Amino acid sequence: MDDQQAIQRLKRGDIGGLEILVARYQARAVRAAFLITHDELQAEDVVQEVFVRLYHKIGQFDATRPFEPYLLRSVVNAALNSTRRLRKQVSLDGDLRQVEQLLAQSLSVESEVDALQLQQQIITALAKLDPRQRAAVVLRYYLEMSEKEMAAVLDAPPGTVKWLLNAARARLRDLLGVERSAP
Amino acid sequence: MNRKPYRDMLDSAAANSLSRHTDLWPGIAARIERKPLMSVIRSRPWAVILTALLILLALSGTAYALGRALGYIPGVGVVEVDVPPLRILAEPVTVEQQGITVTVSKVIADPTRTFITYRVEGIPFIEKQQPACLGLPELILPDGSRLENTGGGDGIPVLRDGDTLHFEVDYTYTPIPVGVMQVTLALPCAPTTGANASSLQVPLSLSPAPADYVTPVVEAPLAAATAAPTPDDQSTAQPVSRSGLQLEKVLQMGDAYILIGSFTDGGDLGAPLYMSTASDSEYLPRIEDAHGSPVPFKVREDLRPDPDWDVAYHWAYEVPASAAAPLTITVEQVNLRRYHIGSMQFDTGADPQNGQMWQLDQPVQLGAVQILVESVTFVGDGYTFKLSSDNLPEGVTPDADIANTNLSPYLSNDINVSSTFDGSGDTAQCTVTLTTQGASPPTGRLTVNWGLEELVPKTGPWSLVWSPAAP
């Protein structure tokens, strides 16, 4: 059964449709939420909340739209709201650039151990970001949204989103020898 | 840059940090079937009354926290020490399981948080298999409830030692309830993650901290701090809103004062603020005593509050108590963020061919920076632009975005950006590629919007005058 069929079942009041969607997308949804909340229990709670909300508002959902991007956008928003309620400890100088540098390093990592070390560093660096910046990273690099889509989700002017990502890319290139090679 | 590895890396990082794979469906189904609050009130009024009483109790405890004695612990910061007594790890604990050794060296529990430091050694590294213990640990209370992680993650990163890995890390969690002297650290230490993961349990015993465990800290009153007038004030009768230095807290610790405050954007800077307050920052202030002589100071990053993003940047400076008051703290300059946008157009014709190149040589002004868009090449699913500039900052590549007025303005949603940069010569050159990743790109007369962020110095000065309260 594909997503559209599951949604149609749900629209008819069959909760089994939701069970199918949960089974299909809960893992990625929890990972997306975790990248923002940095707390496993909180991430699970966020995803549960999103699915419950989906159940109650499924009548408003356009079943012709792709479901996964819609779900993950909702998860990111809910995770962001959740972290606003429970403000995390953040470090002033651990910023978006650090995360992007680490992500960029992943392009040239060859050994498994280096990759795993980077993964831990990425999680650590993410933890130090303002939740909104964390959400920006997840939207851009995990959900692969455009800057315009990000601006809509983050309720920020496109210039703000552009600035964040531009500054990050600039810093990233400044540190990466591989990016300085001649075109 | 291809963004796919970014997504994969984030996905792996998240997956490996999750200690389990919980099926959320039972919880979701239960929540959907849960009764609304009003029906709970009607059916179980005693539960509502009990909840209200607990909330009142918690609120009164928060109020009571004001004025408690404080202490400083290096690497941890300021903690509350008196009621209830500060609890610390009774003694370092080492647990070994299947060759993995976990040593918990520090636990500090005050009414505001729980701080823990541990080291993991001997993590087996097996090719193609995830090493253990890299996930976020849990702190479990005797009743089985779990504390919430609130931050941390700093320490010694994962290092390889032969066939094993080791690392050291600290985390902070929500407070351990008063009276609880046992807690368990549960590390997701299994060679696999997900449903088969198991945790390595480290039982920890707490004890009251001895009196000399912390350096006593006294919070001093703030009444004597005033913002010094700036040159702008002399020409403005009544400034409505003003950016500048704000003193928020003063701690007296031994023979020094710790001045803690912020640089607040009052909305009159003209652009978003970019300011770092790290110890190696270019924005460090000048502190002078009553005679105008420089006062030596230290940046206390361990005592600096969390930032209020986009609103204020915080600082914490340690000054000797012997400095002749009043002290004047002055910041001469901050940087503002400005984003410049410029546009250009070119025409691909109706049917561009793969590899087809157009020589453009179009200048685009982005603030003080001028870029020359030398050429653009059709690459099948997008376009590669070749740029040069005499004054583009090293390592910086402008943003690019295509808008086609004949199509949806959201067309560029699906465009990815990649770029390379070569700043080795006097003229910087870079390429920017916009692709649709396989889909048909826009053709015809196209408008390209270029964007460049610039840090613009904003000079003050902004000053703050402070004197310690009279004894």
Side-chain angles (χ1 to χ4, degrees):
Chain A
M1 177 177 291
D2 63 20
D3 288 355
Q4 286 194 6
Q5 290 168 322
I7 290 165
Q8 291 302 343
R9 271 182 69 175
L10 190 53
K11 278 178 179 280
R12 291 195 298 269
D14 180 354
I15 199 172
L18 184 64
E19 187 173 4
I20 290 167
L21 296 171
V22 170
R24 190 169 292 157
Y25 294 113
Q26 61 178 341
R28 187 152 192 233
V30 168
R31 290 200 290 270
F34 175 79
L35 287 170
I36 295 171
T37 64
H38 210 65
D39 181 294
E40 189 166 353
L41 292 174
Q42 195 180 347
E44 290 176 357
D45 193 54
V46 160
V47 174
Q48 285 196 7
E49 183 183 321
V50 168
F51 275 115
V52 170
R53 219 162 44 212
L54 175 74
Y55 171 79
H56 289 299
K57 297 192 172 180
I58 193 65
Q60 301 167 16
F61 181 73
D62 177 1
T64 61
R65 292 168 57 194
F67 176 71
E68 186 180 13
Y70 167 82
L71 172 74
L72 294 177
R73 266 199 301 273
S74 302
V75 166
V76 169
N77 264 332
L80 194 53
N81 289 335
S82 172
T83 55
R84 281 173 181 149
R85 289 195 296 267
L86 300 166
R87 190 174 178 82
K88 300 289 186 183
Q89 174 181 329
V90 287
S91 161
L92 182 63
D93 299 307
D95 59 16
L96 181 62
R97 290 176 294 195
Q98 187 185 359
V99 175
E100 297 218 12
Q101 289 159 22
L102 294 168
L103 286 170
Q105 286 176 35
S106 70
L107 299 178
S108 56
V109 162
E110 292 179 357
S111 78
E112 192 84 359
V113 66
D114 286 345
L116 288 161
Q117 181 174 334
L118 266 175
Q119 286 175 16
Q120 194 202 29
Q121 289 174 326
I122 286 168
I123 291 296
T124 299
L126 273 173
K128 294 178 180 177
L129 293 182
D130 158 32
R132 204 149 171 262
Q133 289 179 305
R134 225 178 288 164
V137 170
V138 174
L139 292 171
R140 181 62 161 173
Y141 295 114
Y142 192 58
L143 304 189
E144 299 184 328
M145 282 188 182
S146 72
E147 290 165 4
K148 283 174 183 164
E149 289 171 318
M150 290 172 64
V153 173
L154 293 172
D155 191 24
T160 300
V161 173
K162 270 184 176 295
W163 181 85
L164 275 172
L165 294 170
N166 183 59
R169 281 198 291 267
R171 178 69 176 156
L172 176 158
R173 280 189 287 274
D174 194 37
L175 295 178
L176 279 181
V178 293
E179 293 293 329
R180 292 180 178 221
S181 58
Chain B
M1 290 172 287
N2 181 353
R3 259 193 251 125
K4 292 287 185 206
Y6 287 5
R7 186 184 66 186
D8 295 344
M9 178 58 81
L10 281 170
D11 199 56
S12 299
N16 292 331
S17 297
L18 296 170
S19 61
R20 58 185 183 273
H21 174 75
T22 305
D23 182 7
L24 301 181
W25 175 243
I28 292 168
R31 284 167 77 160
I32 287 173
E33 292 168 2
R34 189 175 296 162
K35 293 177 180 176
L37 177 62
M38 285 312 294
S39 67
V40 173
I41 292 173
R42 280 193 291 271
S43 62
R44 285 180 290 180
W46 54 269
V48 177
I49 293 168
L50 184 62
T51 304
L53 285 173
L54 287 172
I55 292 171
L56 282 173
L57 200 61
L59 289 174
S60 63
T62 303
Y64 183 66
L66 296 173
R68 284 180 177 174
L70 304 175
Y72 170 73
I73 302 172
V76 178
V78 172
V79 294
E80 294 186 6
V81 294
D82 57 353
V83 181
L86 184 70
R87 288 159 290 171
I88 60 172
L89 187 64
E91 58 181 358
V93 179
T94 298
V95 168
E96 191 270 339
Q97 181 177 301
Q98 295 181 321
I100 299 173
T101 304
V102 179
T103 301
V104 180
S105 57
K106 189 180 283 181
V107 176
I108 295 164
D110 83 348
T112 64
R113 62 181 166 153
T114 305
F115 181 95
I116 184 168
T117 301
Y118 65 88
R119 181 180 178 85
V120 185
E121 298 169 289
I123 305 168
F125 172 68
I126 305 167
E127 291 289 347
K128 307 296 181 190
Q129 198 169 38
Q130 305 296 348
C133 305
L134 292 180
L136 191 67
E138 290 184 317
L139 272 183
I140 305 172
L141 299 175
D143 65 2
S145 59
R146 284 152 167 81
L147 300 181
E148 183 195 346
N149 174 263
T150 56
D154 293 327
I156 302 171
V158 181
L159 298 173
R160 189 168 184 177
D161 183 15
D163 292 332
T164 63
L165 310 173
H166 65 269
F167 68 93
E168 185 173 309
V169 69
D170 59 58
Y171 285 105
T172 54
Y173 290 80
T174 47
I176 297 173
V178 175
V180 174
M181 304 302 276
Q182 301 287 332
V183 65
T184 299
L185 174 71
L187 281 160
C189 279
T192 59
T193 57
N196 297 323
S198 63
S199 66
L200 192 156
Q201 310 262 325
V202 185
L204 305 169
S205 296
L206 305 181
S207 63
D212 60 353
Y213 189 79
V214 301
T215 303
V217 172
V218 176
E219 187 166 354
L222 283 177
T226 56
T230 66
D232 289 346
D233 291 339
Q234 295 164 11
S235 58
T236 306
Q238 289 183 324
V240 176
S241 171
R242 202 183 64 193
S243 302
L245 295 164
Q246 314 286 334
L247 187 65
E248 293 162 356
K249 186 182 285 186
V250 177
L251 303 176
Q252 187 169 11
M253 192 164 66
D255 56 359
Y257 287 109
I258 314 292
L259 308 179
I260 300 171
S262 62
F263 187 102
T264 304
D265 182 351
D268 57 343
L269 293 174
L273 179 68
Y274 177 86
M275 182 181 176
S276 169
T277 48
S279 53
D280 58 352
S281 164
E282 61 186 291
Y283 305 113
L284 287 182
R286 173 164 44 88
I287 302 181
E288 294 174 335
D289 65 12
H291 312 297
S293 301
V295 175
F297 67 93
K298 295 179 190 170
V299 175
R300 295 301 302 258
E301 297 185 22
D302 55 347
L303 294 173
R304 190 173 53 203
D306 295 343
D308 295 327
W309 298 95
D310 301 327
V311 178
Y313 290 83
H314 292 275
W315 41 264
Y317 303 128
E318 177 183 327
V319 296
S322 58
L327 303 185
T328 303
I329 306 173
T330 303
V331 170
E332 297 287 353
Q333 176 188 312
V334 296
N335 277 347
L336 305 180
R337 305 162 171 169
R338 291 195 190 277
Y339 195 79
H340 305 285
I341 296 175
S343 296
M344 55 158 279
Q345 292 186 324
F346 71 102
D347 196 336
T348 70
D351 185 24
Q353 300 301 303
N354 201 357
Q356 185 176 350
M357 189 190 81
W358 296 267
Q359 193 69 33
L360 301 176
D361 293 325
Q362 287 194 39
V364 178
Q365 198 70 34
L366 300 170
V369 174
Q370 186 180 71
I371 61 171
L372 182 68
V373 183
E374 296 180 355
S375 64
V376 58
T377 303
F378 185 63
V379 292
D381 61 352
Y383 298 92
T384 294
F385 299 86
K386 185 178 179 185
L387 316 177
S388 63
S389 174
D390 292 335
N391 61 347
L392 189 65
E394 183 181 356
V396 174
T397 301
D399 282 339
D401 186 25
I402 288 183
N404 189 324
T405 53
N406 297 323
L407 298 172
S408 161
Y410 298 103
L411 185 66
S412 58
N413 275 0
D414 298 326
I415 291 178
N416 277 334
V417 178
S418 69
S419 57
T420 57
F421 182 88
D422 180 11
S424 56
D426 292 335
T427 299
Q429 290 189 316
C430 60
T431 60
V432 176
T433 300
L434 303 174
T435 72
T436 56
Q437 291 193 320
S440 296
T443 57
R445 187 158 186 80
L446 303 178
T447 298
V448 183
N449 297 316
W450 296 94
L452 188 67
E453 178 266 333
E454 181 185 22
L455 292 183
V456 181
K458 171 84 173 179
T459 53
W462 297 273
S463 293
L464 180 79
V465 180
W466 172 78
S467 293

